[in-house]
Amino acid sequence: MSKEMFAAGLSALQHRNLTEAELCFSKAIQENPENPNYRYYRASVLRELGKSDEAESDLTSALESAPESYPIRYARGELYLEIGEMEKAEADFSRIIECEADGYWKALAFLGRGVIFLESGDIESAIIDLSDAEDLAVKDGDKGLLARISSELERSGF
């Protein structure tokens, strides 16, 4: 039954019915609380609904089951960045960078940490991290990520 609820939640999310998606993912979690994907997706919905504390709780619980899940750790880092918890965001991004993450997740983590450095005024560290993100994105041929890096640099006045 939890797989059916999860599938229904994905469908509701795809159709932007966030309240229904949250309900379906919650039911899936009730039936299988150990599945980190269920919490990850509910956290995504909760974040969009402005329920940051609940989203953080779900992402943290999901990481207890899957500590090396880069998508979950990155999502929590972005949430922390969004709510101004810069030290926590930096810790999540740094953990991804230090692990054997693939180029995509490592590039995103460098980007996130670079943004933190920019916002704190540590321009030298920001340039290093943003350059590392750009190098990885070029290596992977990820034009979307390159555009996102450029956007962050423009937004910051570079």
Side-chain angles (χ1 to χ4, degrees), residues 88-158:
K88 291 179 178 180
E90 184 180 342
D92 274 342
F93 295 143
S94 293
R95 174 96 182 254
I96 294 168
I97 291 166
E98 293 162 5
C99 293
E100 294 299 317
D102 65 21
Y104 175 75
W105 291 108
K106 193 171 276 195
L108 283 175
F110 274 124
L111 173 59
R113 198 170 71 175
V115 168
I116 293 168
F117 290 145
L118 280 174
E119 291 186 13
S120 71
D122 185 352
I123 304 304
E124 185 177 328
S125 295
I127 290 171
I128 291 168
D129 273 7
L130 293 171
S131 294
D132 286 344
E134 185 177 42
D135 290 346
L136 288 167
V138 166
K139 182 180 175 185
D140 285 349
D142 191 332
K143 293 177 183 176
L145 185 53
L146 285 169
R148 188 168 167 194
I149 294 165
S150 293
S151 176
E152 284 297 335
L153 289 171
E154 282 180 35
R155 186 183 66 77
S156 300
F158 286 94

Side-chain angles (χ1 to χ4, degrees), residues 40-62:
Y40 170 78
Y41 278 96
R42 184 172 72 175
S44 297
V45 170
L46 292 168
R47 186 173 166 192
E48 287 193 55
L49 291 170
K51 299 177 181 181
S52 299
D53 290 343
E54 293 174 56
E56 177 190 4
S57 178
D58 269 357
L59 291 168
T60 298
S61 292

